[in-house]
Amino acid sequence: MYNMTDIHITWHEHQVARQDRERLNGHRGCVIWLTGLSGSGKSTLANVLDHLLSQRGIRTAVLDGDNVRHGLNASPNLLRETHGATFAERFGLGFSAIDREENIRRIGAVAQLFCEAGIIALTAFISPYRLDRQRVRQSLREGDFIEVFVDTPLAVCEERDPKGLYKKARAGELKHFTGIDDPYEAPEAPELIVRSSGERTPEALAAQVIAYLVTRGILPATVLDARETGG
Ligand SMILES: Nc1ncnc2c1ncn2[C@@H]1O[C@H](COP(=O)(O)OS(=O)(=O)O)[C@@H](OP(=O)(O)O)[C@H]1O
Ligand SMILES: Nc1ncnc2c1ncn2[C@@H]1O[C@H](COP(=O)(O)OP(=O)(O)O)[C@@H](O)[C@H]1O
């Protein structure tokens, strides 16, 4: 085991403080952590939020499961082509519990960087394990982690099945698929629960999240005026 003294790295404070960046931006930074089953509507909600907030001059960044798994957290089969088999086996991330844990740890660290830069990080990962989400929460400052449970029933996600993955999982062609033969641990005390089934459009869910951010003082109330006037 290493300790920080052995590896000679030291934490540096930055010259521009987070508060300075937030003052420039006109809003606080935070991490909006969307969690839910595959097909629950995480990416859709993250993208609608990104769009609505950007239109109102709010600085945001989206980190999305499928996309991040093409780069920073590439899967072994993607890495094998460019980096060879050994590298891919050592550093590629699949869907075992330990790989999901590392996936979430890295995303948590990236989201923290955005947050400290005064940006609203919108993350859309299944993040099925409570402990992994809890660790991200604990790595951030009090109040920076806003857990949003995209609570869509498995039957609805399976009916949507936009990528055909549930069908494959049911047929036994895809193992360890969340909700089928791998666990999903629903949040016990999320900051917010949004339900994307029924008549609730992604825009309605985004409005629920934005209203919450205003009540928490993360966004200025003027964001609501802009929404109501369509400006
Ligand atoms: N075994 C298994 N289980 C769940 N999901 C799988 C699996 N294999 C591939 N996929 C695809 O990967 C997307 C989920 O990636 P995440 O990084 O969000 O997963 S996790 O948070 O590490 O659990 C997920 O995307 P979303 O549908 O957007 O959630 C799937 O398209
Ligand atoms: N609020 C909603 N109401 C109805 N359908 C939705 C809603 N949000 C997302 N969808 C649809 O559900 C499917 C899965 O959405 P997606 O955002 O890709 O989920 P996830 O990122 O959680 O896998 C897509 O076909 C999307 O159009």
Side-chain angles (χ1 to χ4, degrees):
M1 240 350 222
Y2 294 111
N3 67 42
M4 292 310 230
T5 321
D6 291 335
I7 54 177
H8 304 291
I9 54 171
T10 313
W11 185 266
H12 291 277
E13 290 306 326
H14 293 163
Q15 207 170 339
V16 182
R18 172 172 168 181
Q19 288 83 343
D20 300 326
R21 296 185 197 280
E22 292 183 332
R23 206 171 307 118
L24 275 174
N25 293 344
H27 61 84
R28 275 180 47 200
C30 70
V31 176
I32 303 187
W33 191 276
L34 307 177
T35 173
L37 293 169
S38 174
S40 58
K42 304 179 297 296
S43 302
T44 306
L45 177 55
N47 281 293
V48 171
L49 275 168
D50 190 36
H51 178 66
L52 289 175
L53 292 174
S54 297
Q55 276 186 326
R56 285 149 184 75
I58 307 296
R59 301 190 66 213
T60 53
V62 176
L63 294 165
D64 182 285
D66 269 336
N67 293 356
V68 171
R69 280 175 175 277
H70 278 86
L72 175 66
N73 294 352
S75 65
N77 55 352
L78 285 174
L79 279 181
R80 200 169 288 117
E81 289 165 24
T82 49
H83 287 66
T86 312
F87 186 94
E89 290 321 315
R90 285 184 68 194
F91 300 114
L93 295 182
F95 290 91
S96 64
I98 199 163
D99 281 8
R100 291 184 201 249
E101 176 183 339
E102 176 60 8
N103 185 36
I104 298 311
R105 187 191 71 80
R106 289 185 200 170
I107 299 310
V110 174
Q112 181 177 28
L113 293 175
F114 280 118
C115 178
E116 288 295 321
I119 293 168
I120 296 192
L122 300 156
T123 71
F125 296 83
I126 297 177
S127 44
Y129 295 108
R130 261 183 222 124
L131 180 61
D132 298 346
R133 297 191 301 264
Q134 183 63 15
R135 284 193 178 126
V136 179
R137 182 188 287 277
Q138 281 165 354
S139 72
L140 297 170
R141 297 180 207 226
E142 178 84 35
D144 279 353
F145 185 81
I146 295 158
E147 190 173 28
V148 179
F149 179 25
V150 185
D151 184 10
T152 309
L154 176 63
V156 175
C157 298
E158 205 168 345
E159 174 73 29
R160 290 177 179 168
D161 203 9
K163 301 169 199 157
L165 297 180
Y166 281 100
K167 197 161 172 247
K168 280 195 177 146
R170 287 288 184 199
E173 292 162 25
L174 180 54
K175 301 282 182 205
H176 306 293
F177 196 74
T178 306
I180 305 299
D181 58 350
D182 224 52
Y184 178 76
E185 299 173 357
E188 283 170 337
E191 274 69 15
L192 214 52
I193 300 178
V194 297
R195 296 198 163 85
S196 90
S197 46
E199 297 301 304
R200 311 225 50 209
T201 63
E203 288 72 20
L205 304 184
Q208 192 184 338
V209 177
I210 292 172
Y212 176 80
L213 295 176
V214 170
T215 62
R216 284 279 310 274
I218 290 168
L219 292 179
T222 48
V223 165
L224 294 175
D225 302 336
R227 200 178 76 238
E228 279 157 14
T229 57

